[in-house]
Amino acid sequence: QVQLVESGGGLVQAGGSLRLSCAASGRTFSLYHMAWFRQAPGKEREFVAAISTSGSTTTYANSVKGRGSISRDNAKNTVYLQMNNLKPDDTAVYYCAARYRGATITLYVEDYRYSYWGQGTQVTVSS
C-alpha cells in the first residue's frame, strides 16, 4: 500500500501561483511513477502531469504545458506540482496518484493506470 497526502491548495487570484505537494508513505517511493490529476465540478477527472521514478522524464497536459512543472524529491518521498499564471479554468480538486513502475518506463495519462490516490486538495482561482 502507498498512502498519499496532498497539500498546498487554496484560493488564488488569476495570474497567481501555487505549489502543491504530495507526501507518500508506505512503500519505496522511488519505485513509483507519480502523477497529478484534477477534477472540476461537473467534469470528469483529467490528467495534469506525470513524472518518472527518477524525475528525469515528465509529461504534461496541453492545458498546463508551459505553466505547470512537476518535480519530485525521492529523499523526502514527495512530489510537487508548481502551477503558474493560474486561470479560473484551473479551479478543481487536485489529486496525486502513484503507479508502480515495474518493467515499464511509460508515463501514462489515463487515471485507471494508477493504483494509489490521495484525498485531493482544492484549488480555486478567482477572476
Side-chain angles (χ1 to χ4, degrees):
Q1 287 285 348
V2 175
Q3 292 80 41
L4 303 171
V5 179
E6 302 97 334
S7 61
L11 175 64
V12 62
Q13 288 189 331
S17 298
L18 276 178
R19 187 195 197 200
L20 306 182
S21 299
C22 173
S25 62
R27 291 290 179 94
T28 306
F29 179 68
S30 61
L31 295 181
Y32 288 80
H33 293 312
M34 301 297 297
W36 288 93
F37 289 79
R38 66 186 183 186
Q39 187 167 21
K43 295 187 177 181
E44 294 193 353
R45 186 163 54 189
E46 65 173 1
F47 171 78
V48 177
I51 189 167
S52 62
T53 53
S54 66
S56 61
T57 304
T58 57
T59 189
Y60 297 90
N62 287 335
S63 59
V64 304
K65 205 169 288 184
R67 301 187 298 121
S69 177
I70 187 171
S71 61
R72 66 189 295 162
D73 185 338
N74 285 346
K76 295 183 178 179
N77 289 356
T78 302
V79 62
Y80 306 96
L81 179 67
Q82 176 72 40
M83 291 285 291
N84 301 319
N85 190 22
L86 283 160
K87 305 175 181 180
D89 283 350
D90 294 318
T91 295
V93 177
Y94 284 70
Y95 297 92
C96 172
R99 172 187 168 86
Y100 180 67
R101 179 193 63 193
T104 180
I105 61 173
T106 302
L107 291 181
Y108 293 105
V109 303
E110 300 89 353
D111 59 1
Y112 67 86
R113 302 276 192 180
Y114 292 82
S115 303
Y116 303 100
W117 293 82
Q119 82 290 348
T121 186
Q122 176 71 48
V123 172
T124 302
V125 184
S126 63
S127 57

